[in-house]
Amino acid sequence: MSIWWSLHLRREAASVPLARRLLLGTMETAGVDPDVSYDLSLALSEACANAVEHGGQQDSSTAYRVTAYLDGEKCRIEVTDSGPGFARPQPAQPLRPVPGEAENGRGLCLIQELADHVHIGNKPGRRGAVVSFDKILKWKKDAPLMAV
């Protein structure tokens, strides 16, 4: 069985925990291992926080989108916004760690550490960034939606 959902969220800080709770609830109901659920929810929080901070004009009237797919043995999450995008996306290369005292710039590195595959880029032909990542799922024993 597959589960997918998509949210169209305002660029407000309150949207980040909403997306995170929906993902955690979905994975708990499906029977995903709590450690995997936590990793993905933390990565999602970082991607959403980036969309809120960098995803468009300074007003909160713009929105961003979160889509999650739990399908078989993998969960894939995509966060897209309408901001300026990445100046020089390099999806094939890992991001460099940020110095410990830096206040910004850790989110994308954290996502790369928590997920199995990460793609960071711009919307084709349009304005905006796309951060997508996936992780192989582990299941609780007797999970209702476990991949067979």
Side-chain angles (χ1 to χ4, degrees):
M1 182 186 289
S2 299
I3 299 172
W4 74 269
W5 50 259
S6 187
L7 298 172
H8 189 78
L9 299 166
R10 288 178 64 104
R11 285 185 47 242
E12 299 174 346
S15 68
V16 176
L18 172 67
R20 181 179 175 140
R21 284 193 297 264
L22 181 58
L23 180 66
L24 282 169
T26 301
M27 290 191 292
E28 181 180 351
T29 301
V32 175
D33 177 81
D35 290 336
V36 172
S37 298
Y38 178 79
D39 287 352
L40 283 169
S41 69
L42 183 56
L44 174 62
S45 295
E46 292 295 333
C48 289
N50 282 345
V52 168
E53 184 173 346
H54 306 291
Q57 303 298 329
Q58 290 299 90
D59 65 1
S60 62
S61 63
T62 58
Y64 68 101
R65 181 175 302 276
V66 176
T67 306
Y69 305 89
L70 277 79
D71 189 18
E73 26 181 79
K74 180 170 65 174
C75 178
R76 180 172 182 80
I77 297 171
E78 183 175 280
V79 177
T80 60
D81 65 43
S82 301
F86 294 96
R88 293 178 33 205
Q90 298 174 336
Q93 297 180 8
L95 296 170
R96 286 178 272 161
V98 176
E101 65 277 359
E103 291 189 29
N104 292 316
R106 291 188 184 102
L108 294 176
C109 290
L110 186 57
I111 293 167
Q112 286 184 324
E113 290 298 318
L114 294 168
D116 293 329
H117 300 96
V118 179
H119 179 270
I120 299 166
N122 295 326
K123 289 182 188 176
R126 294 187 288 177
R127 211 174 129 90
V130 179
V131 176
S132 61
F133 51 94
D134 58 58
K135 190 166 183 78
I136 301 298
L137 298 174
K138 294 179 187 170
W139 300 89
K140 297 180 198 173
K141 186 176 178 175
D142 302 324
L145 300 181
M146 182 178 1
V148 182

